[in-house]
Amino acid sequence: MHREIVCKGLGICLILAAAGGAGWNYCRQIRMRLEQIRQLQQLLLLLQGEVQYHCSTLPEAFEHCGRQGNGICGQWLAETGRRLNAMEGVGFQELWEQQLGELQKATVLSSANIEDLKRFGNQLSYPDKDTQLGAMELYSQRLKEQEERLTSELPVKMKLGTMLGFLAGMFLVILLI
């Protein structure tokens, strides 16, 4: 009898800890998504400067800015530039989409963020510098909007994620008792 109560109590604690951990993980992913959007903004500013003032080609600019940037997004951009410089016999658009697939696996960016990056790559594929700079400006505005929206939603989503994780654990405990 005593052993059964201890096992049930331990099970309850484990369920609550797992559900709370799931809620905490959700909150961590939201904070990471915001940080990665900020990384993309920083990289975009560097990229604009490289193309506009240094007159670098896109592969050179990607590689240089990726090395200067930090985090997963910087590594991704540097690798994209390296692959473009290597002239792998693949067109810009195809390589861009391959690299976006790799980025999506490595980050917590939403599918909407990846779709925006895909559209940005479509516009970057034009050889005209003015068109590229216009695409960068447009994408910069889009990133700013996403950051503002996510920043305003962050407190609510974090509270909701934590509470839902805990409440889901409580529901499971009540269901199993």
Side-chain angles (χ1 to χ4, degrees):
M1 178 75 173
H2 178 60
R3 191 177 206 184
E4 184 178 314
I5 293 173
V6 170
C7 286
K8 281 186 179 184
L10 186 60
I12 289 170
C13 290
L14 289 174
I15 288 171
L16 290 176
W24 178 81
N25 187 49
Y26 173 76
C27 294
R28 186 179 63 85
Q29 285 182 343
I30 291 173
R31 283 192 306 268
M32 285 175 58
R33 181 175 300 140
L34 182 60
E35 180 60 34
Q36 289 170 358
I37 287 174
R38 288 178 177 156
Q39 287 174 13
L40 285 173
Q41 284 178 318
Q42 179 187 16
L43 288 171
L44 192 59
L45 286 175
L46 291 171
L47 194 60
Q48 281 177 315
E50 279 290 316
V51 171
Q52 189 169 14
Y53 301 115
H54 293 250
C55 296
S56 300
T57 63
L58 281 180
E60 293 168 349
F62 285 173
E63 205 166 354
H64 186 256
C65 294
R67 284 195 308 264
Q68 285 183 343
N70 57 1
I72 293 172
C73 296
Q75 294 169 0
W76 166 77
L77 194 63
E79 176 63 18
T80 302
R82 187 198 63 72
R83 288 190 62 194
L84 283 169
N85 272 330
M87 306 271 268
E88 297 177 353
V90 179
F92 177 84
Q93 198 60 40
E94 187 177 346
L95 184 86
W96 183 259
E97 289 182 18
Q98 288 173 4
Q99 289 298 106
L100 282 178
E102 295 300 315
L103 180 67
Q104 192 168 20
K105 291 176 191 173
T107 64
V108 292
L109 292 172
S110 68
S111 57
N113 297 130
I114 298 297
E115 278 301 312
D116 285 343
L117 269 170
K118 187 176 181 180
R119 274 187 246 117
F120 174 59
N122 287 338
Q123 295 169 340
L124 275 183
S125 62
Y126 294 107
D128 179 26
K129 178 176 139 180
D130 293 331
T131 305
Q132 292 173 348
L133 289 171
M136 288 178 202
E137 186 62 36
L138 184 64
Y139 186 60
S140 176
Q141 287 290 15
R142 184 82 171 126
L143 282 176
K144 216 172 271 182
E145 290 169 6
Q146 290 173 358
E147 180 193 14
E148 289 171 359
R149 184 172 29 90
L150 196 55
T151 301
S152 68
E153 293 173 352
L154 189 68
V156 173
K157 283 188 173 188
M158 294 201 36
K159 186 182 272 187
L160 185 66
T162 304
M163 294 307 281
L164 281 178
F166 180 72
L167 289 174
M170 291 298 292
F171 175 74
L172 282 174
V173 166
I174 291 170
L175 189 67
L176 294 174
I177 289 181

